[in-house]
Amino acid sequence: MKQDLQGYWNDDGKAAVRKYVVALSLSSFCNEAVERICDSIAGITPLTHAFGRNEIGLNKQRLDSSLLKTPLNPNVDSVLVVGYEPKSTNEYIAQFKRRSKKRIESVVLLEAGTLETIHQGSKKALDLVVSSSEKKREKIDFHDLVFGLKCGGSDTTSGVASNPALGVATDYIIENGGTAIFSETTEIIGAEHILAKRASDESVAKRIYAVARANEELAMSFGVDLIGTNPTPDNIKGGITTIEEKSLGAILKSGTSRIKGVLDYEQEPPGKGLYFMDSPSAAQAVLTALAAAGCQVILFSTGTGNPVGTAVAPVVKITANPHTVLKMGEHIDIDISQVLGGKIGIKEAGMQIIDGVIEIINGKITKAEALKHREFAPLPAGL
Amino acid sequence: MSQSYNTSPPSVTKRYLILNKDEDNVALALEELMPGDLIQFDQSSSNIQVKQHIEFGHKFAIREIRRGDYIVKDGEIIGQATSDISPGEHVHIHNVQSLRASMLKNIRT
């Protein structure tokens, strides 16, 4: 099988599969200016959000983490920051420069007003976009990449076909020196015992049980069953009856390798191999967190179909449901529905996924990117 | 996970999937099933008659299940029956409850 991976080496010495230029809003006050700059200049991605004023404590920590780590993703080539007031904007830039050699430009809205901010920001963005466009692809390898793993819009085809096939692809990635992160703590409830057996040591096994238990207790502390929220109505329509059934199907996408550790929300993996990230289940938030942790590519298995993407990493949609291929085909990148017809086996489907992923790594656009699904969703604590 | 995909001609029997033949008490419909459809397990043994409309990807019982029994799929427990279920009947949220993160009490048999 052809194994020629071509990517970009960014200014931080990390391999990338894209060279996005982003315009980051540090506060919701700056969203409008950021959007208008991205309308004026082609090839720049807006990162806007509802926060950035008066957050405290854990909420501030979470927001600051997303704002800093998202443009640190290797796929981001350069950054335009639009801040509200000068002190916090300068602090942000100083922090960024301590972590990265990437080009970063800024505008401060309070010093200029929205219209002047749009004007100055557009000129700076123009310069960044022209400069980034010169970068050329070079050889990279699986061991230079971190893959996020997600399933969404799950139905029973997820558990019997697309997740196991994705698991084969995950095993292949790990065997070739790559790193993968799977997440969504609610979706290990009912399957902890299977994951714990694969933990690389006792402390990892304990952490797996602990984060699942904490998640269960969090749900019950709100006075709600998970019943009614997870499985979701589309999961239920697709045939998934309980959270245990969903979880047992969901974990299959992580393959069979040892689980090296449990990461906190948006935490970068400390080494190579397979990791689990403690996180909530809302897709746009999980994808944001995986990208913030440094995932250059996210592999997304879906049953009933799901349109979501994320601003700084291509999200590859994989389905084994033939009805979804017809109904939601515009959101599907890799179709392995032949598995259910008995025409190909799980292993072969897994290698078809690898083939499709290599094409996307090398520059083939994902449906999510083409449809402008560039969700950026920093999440406050406690959800 | 051991899988067997039934690919018999559709005129004889509808397509289904059992993940663990020895332990499971449910199978997945790989196509829409109507009441009266026949599910044939293997050459020798019995058939099951489908009792209800079962959508693609949904589960149906392949053994007698009593209220309180665990529902087993791929050798793992996925929930608990809240009523008796006969072979060929739809198995889903109307007759199964989760054992986790639930305010409902465990049903004792």
Side-chain angles (χ1 to χ4, degrees):
Chain A
M1 188 190 67
K2 200 169 77 119
Q3 267 269 347
D4 185 25
L5 273 61
Q6 295 278 318
Y8 302 103
W9 288 100
N10 74 10
D11 295 330
D12 298 328
K14 291 229 164 109
V17 308
R18 299 288 187 266
K19 45 176 182 172
Y20 297 128
V21 178
V22 301
L24 172 69
S25 168
L26 290 184
S27 159
S28 61
F29 296 170
C30 305
N31 287 351
E32 186 60 27
V34 164
E35 299 274 3
R36 296 288 77 76
I37 291 165
C38 294
D39 284 343
S40 307
I41 308 295
I44 181 164
T45 302
L47 298 179
T48 58
H49 55 90
F51 310 106
R53 195 73 174 160
N54 299 342
E55 285 84 16
I56 56 172
L58 191 56
N59 282 338
K60 183 168 197 317
Q61 232 177 295
R62 285 273 275 253
L63 177 66
D64 286 349
S65 167
S66 297
L67 291 177
L68 185 65
K69 289 184 166 175
T70 301
L72 287 176
N73 183 295
N75 289 336
V76 174
D77 195 56
S78 58
V79 187
L80 171 70
V81 169
V82 181
Y84 179 57
E85 53 79 32
K87 183 166 178 290
S88 58
T89 306
N90 290 333
E91 275 169 8
Y92 177 90
I93 293 168
Q95 260 213 309
F96 189 92
K97 285 185 164 166
R98 277 197 289 273
R99 297 277 300 263
S100 172
K101 297 197 181 74
K102 289 185 211 187
R103 236 185 110 182
I104 178 165
E105 300 287 344
S106 66
V107 189
V108 177
L109 193 143
L110 207 48
E111 288 174 345
T114 293
L115 294 175
E116 184 58 28
T117 298
I118 294 168
H119 181 73
Q120 286 179 27
S122 298
K123 289 174 85 165
K124 293 184 176 185
L126 176 63
D127 197 30
L128 292 177
V129 163
V130 169
S131 184
S132 288
S133 71
E134 294 171 331
K135 208 161 203 145
K136 291 190 174 25
R137 284 186 185 266
E138 299 175 71
K139 183 167 170 28
I140 64 169
D141 232 300
F142 276 108
H143 62 69
D144 301 313
L145 298 173
V146 182
F147 292 81
L149 303 174
K150 170 102 180 63
C151 56
S154 294
D155 63 20
T156 49
T157 67
S158 311
V160 305
S162 51
N163 284 343
L166 183 49
V168 169
T170 301
D171 282 348
Y172 182 90
I173 288 165
I174 304 293
E175 279 157 27
N176 281 275
T179 300
I181 307 173
F182 68 111
S183 61
E184 293 174 278
T185 309
T186 312
E187 285 161 32
I188 66 172
I189 292 173
E192 302 96 314
H193 55 293
I194 297 176
L195 294 178
K197 281 201 205 114
R198 287 168 46 204
S200 59
D201 62 48
E202 185 61 37
S203 68
V204 175
K206 279 205 171 101
R207 268 278 275 165
I208 289 169
Y209 279 107
V211 298
R213 185 70 207 148
N215 193 276
E216 212 173 352
E217 279 167 4
L218 182 66
M220 290 167 82
S221 79
F222 286 131
V224 297
D225 288 358
L226 281 183
I227 293 166
T229 51
N230 214 336
T232 58
D234 50 293
N235 296 149
I236 289 168
K237 187 165 191 308
I240 295 182
T241 306
T242 62
I243 188 62
E244 302 95 297
E245 182 178 11
K246 186 173 176 179
S247 298
L248 289 162
I251 62 165
L252 295 173
K253 65 184 183 284
S254 70
T256 61
S257 32
R258 302 236 134 249
I259 299 169
K260 303 284 289 294
V262 175
L263 304 171
D264 289 330
Y265 195 69
E266 296 191 339
Q267 182 188 358
E268 294 116 295
K272 299 207 188 293
L274 180 68
Y275 290 85
F276 176 73
M277 180 187 287
D278 183 23
S279 75
S281 289
Q284 70 281 13
V286 177
L287 296 181
T288 299
L290 289 170
C295 293
Q296 290 103 332
V297 187
I298 298 172
L299 308 182
F300 191 122
S301 145
T302 184
T304 59
N306 188 310
V308 73
T310 199
V312 302
V315 179
V316 184
K317 297 282 171 56
I318 301 153
T319 191
N321 186 328
H323 307 292
T324 300
V325 174
L326 288 172
K327 211 172 22 125
M328 287 277 280
E330 76 217 48
H331 298 289
I332 301 299
D333 298 298
I334 300 177
D335 166 9
I336 51 166
S337 57
Q338 290 198 311
V339 171
L340 291 183
K343 292 191 174 61
I344 61 173
I346 298 286
K347 279 210 160 56
E348 195 182 332
M351 294 320 287
Q352 281 187 9
I353 292 173
I354 291 291
D355 285 342
V357 169
I358 290 175
E359 285 187 329
I360 286 163
I361 286 171
N362 290 348
K364 179 179 176 184
I365 199 168
T366 57
K367 301 288 178 64
E369 288 169 296
L371 288 165
K372 293 189 167 181
H373 273 279
R374 305 181 289 193
E375 285 81 346
F376 172 57
L379 204 65
L383 290 178
Chain B
M1 173 171 78
S2 58
Q3 294 186 356
S4 60
Y5 294 97
N6 177 12
T7 51
S8 318
S11 58
V12 173
T13 178
K14 287 288 184 78
R15 290 175 51 244
Y16 65 93
L17 176 62
I18 302 177
L19 294 165
N20 185 319
K21 279 192 167 135
D22 301 320
E23 299 185 39
D24 290 359
N25 51 17
V26 292
L28 286 180
L30 287 184
E31 51 190 310
E32 194 182 11
L33 303 180
M34 304 303 289
D37 277 345
L38 209 62
I39 302 293
Q40 187 175 52
F41 280 120
D42 42 52
Q43 315 313 83
S44 56
S45 72
S46 51
N47 299 332
I48 282 181
Q49 252 212 0
V50 175
K51 305 276 193 324
Q52 291 149 324
H53 174 236
I54 297 174
E55 287 176 53
F56 167 86
H58 283 228
K59 296 178 291 298
F60 59 96
I62 57 174
R63 295 184 220 270
E64 283 294 339
I65 299 171
R66 300 270 273 277
R67 181 173 183 272
D69 282 352
Y70 291 137
I71 308 297
V72 181
K73 177 183 159 202
D74 198 15
E76 298 284 344
I77 296 168
I78 63 163
Q80 192 175 32
T82 55
S83 61
D84 291 348
I85 311 172
S86 309
E89 280 185 9
H90 191 203
V91 176
H92 203 25
I93 56 174
H94 58 285
N95 52 18
V96 177
Q97 75 173 19
S98 170
L99 294 155
R100 301 295 303 270
S102 171
M103 305 305 211
L104 301 172
K105 296 196 175 39
N106 248 350
I107 294 172
R108 282 175 238 273
T109 26

